[in-house]
C-alpha cells in the first residue's frame, strides 16, 4: 500500500506566500509583480462577491438552528462585541497617552507624506462586485434566521430550513475546494505589491516604535480576552490561542476579517465550540467585533492630534471611539475598510475628513491594517466561547451538547 502524501499545512503555506511575495517584489522585474497583482486582484474580486453570501449562509443557518432564544443570542453577541471594542479603544488611548509623547515629533508628518505609495497597477481588472453589500447581507441573514427559527419552534418552516441548509453546504464546498486553497496566492500578490512599492516599509521605518506598541497591545488584548473567556468557560486559553494561529496568519495576509471567516470557523471548531454557535458567532463577529481595528485607529488618531498640538483628551477620544464602534460595523470585510468608515467622523476630533491629516491617517492605518484585522479575527473566537456558555447556561438552560465532530465536513488546516 502506498503511503498517503502529507499535505503542507495552511500556516506554512501562508508564511511561504508572505516570504516569497516580499522577495519577488524586491528583486524580480516589475512585470512579475504585475502578474501576481493581477491574479491577486481577480481573486480579491471573487472574495468581494462571495463575502455577503458567506454571511447569509453562515449567520442565517446559525440562527435557524436555534429552536429558542435566537433574539437573545443575537443581543448577547453584539453586546459583548461592542463592549470589547470600547474597552480595546480605551486601553489604546491609555497606552498612547502614557508612551507616545516621547516618540512623536512635528516633523514626522512631512516624512510620512514623502513615504507614501508607489504601488503598481494590475494588467487588467474584472468588475465583479457583490450583488448585495455586507450590511444588507447581515440584515437579510438576521431576518431569514430569526423567522425560520420562529417557524420551526411552531412545528413548520422545514422547507425554508432545508433550503438554508443546502445553501450553507454549497458555500462550504466553494470555500473548502476553491477559496482556502487559493488564499496563499492572494496573500502572495498582496505582499508583492507592498514590497515593490516600498511605502509600507518606509512608514514603518519612521513610526516603528508606535507600531510596535500597537502590535504588542493587540497581542496583550488577545491574551486578556482568551484568559477571561477560558476562565469563564473552563477551556485552556493557551490551547485555544494556539488553535487560532491559522486565522491570525490568514488575516495578516488578506487584511480582511470577512475573507478569514472560513478559516476562523475551522479554528473555532478545534476549540470545541458547538457548530450552531460558531457558525452564527464567527461571521457575525467578523462584522461587529472591531477591537484590533479600534486599537489601531485610536492610537493613530492620538498620534496625529499630538503631532499637530490639537486636543487629544480622553473625553474627546472616547466620544470618537463610541461612534466608531457602531460606524465601522461591516467595514473590516474589506482591506482598509475601518479607516475609510472612520473618515466621515473625523470632525468629531477636529480633523478635516478630506484634508492632509486624513490622508496621513489613511497611510498610517493601512501600514498596520493587517495586524489590527488579525486581532479582530482572533478575538472573535474568545467572544464565541463566552457566548456559547451564556446561551446554554442562561438562555436555554441546558447542558452544552456533545457533537460528533467526525461526521462534519471540515476545512483542513
Amino acid at each position: 500500500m502506498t503511503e498517503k502524501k502529507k499535505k503542507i499545512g495552511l500556516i506554512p503555506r501562508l508564511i511561504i506566500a508572505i516570504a516569497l511575495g516580499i522577495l519577488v517584489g524586491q528583486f524580480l522585474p516589475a512585470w512579475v509583480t504585475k502578474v501576481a497583482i493581477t491574479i491577486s486582484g481577480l481573486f480579491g474580486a471573487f472574495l468581494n462577491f462571495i463575502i455577503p453570501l458567506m454571511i447569509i449562509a453562515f449567520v442565517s443557518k446559525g440562527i435557524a438552528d436555534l429552536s429558542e432564544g435566537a433574539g437573545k443570542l443575537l443581543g448577547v453577541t453584539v453586546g459583548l462585541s461592542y463592549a470589547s471594542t470600547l474597552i480595546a479603544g480605551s486601553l489604546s488611548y491609555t497606552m498612547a497617552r502614557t508612551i507616545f509623547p516621547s516618540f512623536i515629533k512635528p516633523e514626522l508628518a512631512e516624512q510620512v507624506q514623502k513615504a507614501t505609495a508607489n504601488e503598481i497597477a494590475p494588467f487588467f481588472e474584472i468588475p465583479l462586485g457583490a450583488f448585495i453589500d455586507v450590511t444588507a447581507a447581515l440584515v437579510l441573514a438576521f431576518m431569514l434566521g430569526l423567522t425560520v427559527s420562529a417557524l420551526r419552534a411552531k412545528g413548520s418552516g422545514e422547507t425554508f430550513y432545508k433550503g438554508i441548509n443546502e445553501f450553507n453546504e454549497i458555500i462550504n464546498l466553494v470555500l473548502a475546494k476553491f477559496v482556502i486553497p487559493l488564499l496563499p496566492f492572494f496573500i502572495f500578490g498582496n505582499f508583492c505589491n507592498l514590497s515593490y512599492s516600498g511605502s509600507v516599509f518606509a512608514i514603518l521605518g519612521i513610526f516603528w516604535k508606535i507600531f510596535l506598541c500597537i502590535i504588542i497591545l493587540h497581542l496583550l488584548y488577545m491574551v486578556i480576552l482568551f484568559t477571561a473567556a477560558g476562565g469563564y468557560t473552563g477551556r485552556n486559553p493557551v490551547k485555544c490561542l494556539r488553535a487560532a494561529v491559522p486565522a491570525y496568519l490568514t488575516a495578516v495576509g488578506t487584511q480582511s476579517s470577512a475573507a478569514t471567516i472560513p478559516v476562523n470557523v475551522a479554528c473555532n471548531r478545534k476549540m470545541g465550540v458547538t457548530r450552531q454557535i460558531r457558525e452564527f458567532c464567527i461571521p457575525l463577529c467578523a462584522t461587529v467585533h472591531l477591537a484590533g481595528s479600534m486599537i489601531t485607529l485610536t492610537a493613530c488618531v492620538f498620534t496625529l492630534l499630538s503631532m499637530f498640538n490639537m486636543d487629544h483628551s480622553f473625553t474627546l477620544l472616547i466620544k470618537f471611539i463610541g461612534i466608531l464602534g457602531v460606524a465601522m460595523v461591516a467595514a473590516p470585510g474589506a482591506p482598509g475598510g475601518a479607516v475609510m468608515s472612520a473618515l466621515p467622523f473625523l470632525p468629531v476630533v477636529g480633523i478635516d475628513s478630506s484634508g492632509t491629516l486624513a490622508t496621513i491617517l489613511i497611510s498610517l492605518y493601512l501600514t498596520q491594517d493587517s495586524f489590527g484585522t488579525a486581532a479582530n479575527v482572533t478575538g472573535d473566537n474568545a467572544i464565541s466561547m463566552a457566548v456559547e456558555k451564556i446561551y446554554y447556561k442562561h438562555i436555554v438552560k441546558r447542558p452544552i451538547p456533545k457533537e460528533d465532530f467526525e461526521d462534519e465536513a471540515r476545512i483542513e488546516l
Side-chain angles (χ1 to χ4, degrees):
M1 290 176 67
T2 56
E3 286 187 17
K4 227 180 178 181
K5 285 185 180 179
K6 284 188 177 179
K7 290 183 179 179
I8 301 175
L10 183 62
I11 294 176
R13 280 185 282 146
L14 296 178
I15 293 171
I16 291 168
I18 291 169
L20 285 177
I22 292 171
L23 291 173
V24 168
Q26 284 289 307
F27 300 111
L28 291 187
W31 68 264
V32 179
T33 296
K34 206 172 178 73
V35 170
I37 292 168
T38 302
I39 295 170
S40 179
L42 295 175
F43 184 75
F46 180 75
L47 274 181
N48 288 335
F49 170 76
I50 201 172
I51 281 168
L53 301 180
M54 274 195 288
I55 290 170
I56 293 169
F58 286 135
V59 175
S60 62
K61 185 180 186 306
I63 300 175
D65 278 341
L66 305 171
S67 56
E68 53 185 312
K72 291 179 182 177
L73 180 63
L74 177 61
V76 167
T77 307
V78 172
L80 284 177
S81 298
Y82 188 67
S84 173
T85 301
L86 293 184
I87 292 167
S90 301
L91 288 175
S92 181
Y93 176 84
T94 303
M95 172 196 69
R97 182 89 184 184
T98 307
I99 301 173
F100 285 9
S102 59
F103 304 153
I104 298 170
K105 297 174 183 176
E107 60 268 22
L108 291 178
E110 188 179 344
Q111 293 179 47
V112 173
Q113 287 173 296
K114 288 180 180 177
T116 50
N118 182 30
E119 293 185 352
I120 195 168
F123 282 113
F124 64 91
E125 296 176 334
I126 294 177
L128 176 63
F131 72 92
I132 181 172
D133 65 46
V134 172
T135 306
L138 201 56
V139 173
L140 178 59
F142 290 160
M143 184 185 74
L144 288 174
L146 289 170
T147 51
V148 171
S149 176
L151 288 172
R152 292 184 72 215
K154 295 177 182 178
S156 60
E158 288 306 314
T159 303
F160 293 107
Y161 179 68
K162 186 179 177 183
I164 287 174
N165 259 329
E166 290 179 351
F167 181 58
N168 181 273
E169 288 174 14
I170 290 168
I171 296 299
N172 266 314
L173 188 62
V174 173
L175 296 177
K177 301 298 182 184
F178 181 73
V179 174
I180 298 300
L182 292 182
L183 272 178
F185 295 96
F186 180 53
I187 290 168
F188 170 74
N190 285 345
F191 273 83
C192 280
N193 202 3
L194 294 174
S195 179
Y196 179 84
S197 70
S199 59
V200 169
F201 304 111
I203 295 173
L204 280 173
I206 298 166
F207 282 96
W208 68 270
K209 291 180 182 177
I210 287 172
F211 289 141
L212 182 62
C213 290
I214 291 171
I215 292 169
I216 289 171
L217 183 57
H218 285 159
L219 298 174
L220 286 175
Y221 191 68
M222 284 187 285
V223 170
I224 291 168
L225 277 180
F226 274 86
T227 302
Y232 176 59
T233 62
R235 287 184 171 93
N236 184 323
V238 176
K239 287 183 178 178
C240 291
L241 261 172
R242 196 181 302 139
V245 169
Y248 184 91
L249 289 176
T250 304
V252 168
T254 62
Q255 299 182 336
S256 169
S257 296
T260 313
I261 288 172
V263 176
N264 214 21
V265 169
C267 292
N268 206 231
R269 175 188 180 280
K270 290 179 73 175
M271 296 173 202
V273 176
T274 55
R275 182 171 187 168
Q276 64 180 20
I277 297 296
R278 68 175 177 267
E279 291 197 353
F280 166 77
C281 277
I282 296 301
L284 176 58
C285 287
T287 64
V288 299
H289 183 231
L290 313 168
S293 297
M294 188 63 81
I295 287 171
T296 305
L297 269 173
T298 303
C300 289
V301 168
F302 181 93
T303 299
L304 282 179
L305 295 175
S306 298
M307 280 168 56
F308 289 90
N309 295 314
M310 299 168 69
D311 180 16
H312 49 267
S313 63
F314 181 72
T315 307
L316 180 68
L317 266 293
I318 195 63
K319 188 193 302 181
F320 182 64
I321 291 166
I323 294 170
L324 277 193
V326 177
M328 287 193 304
V329 167
V339 70
M340 301 313 291
S341 296
L343 292 181
F345 304 97
L346 289 179
V348 171
V349 291
I351 295 175
D352 180 2
S353 57
S354 59
T356 304
L357 286 185
T359 304
I360 296 173
L361 175 64
I362 292 170
S363 298
L364 290 177
Y365 182 87
L366 291 180
T367 302
Q368 201 273 270
D369 184 31
S370 295
F371 297 98
T373 302
N376 290 344
V377 162
T378 308
D380 295 348
N381 291 284
I383 298 291
S384 74
M385 288 158 54
V387 166
E388 181 188 56
K389 182 162 183 179
I390 291 170
Y391 176 70
Y392 285 105
K393 185 175 181 180
H394 299 290
I395 297 177
V396 296
K397 299 179 181 177
R398 61 173 180 263
I400 297 173
K402 300 292 181 184
E403 290 191 325
D404 183 7
F405 290 107
E406 297 304 318
D407 289 341
E408 293 186 25
R410 61 175 296 189
I411 295 167
E412 294 292 342
L413 300 180

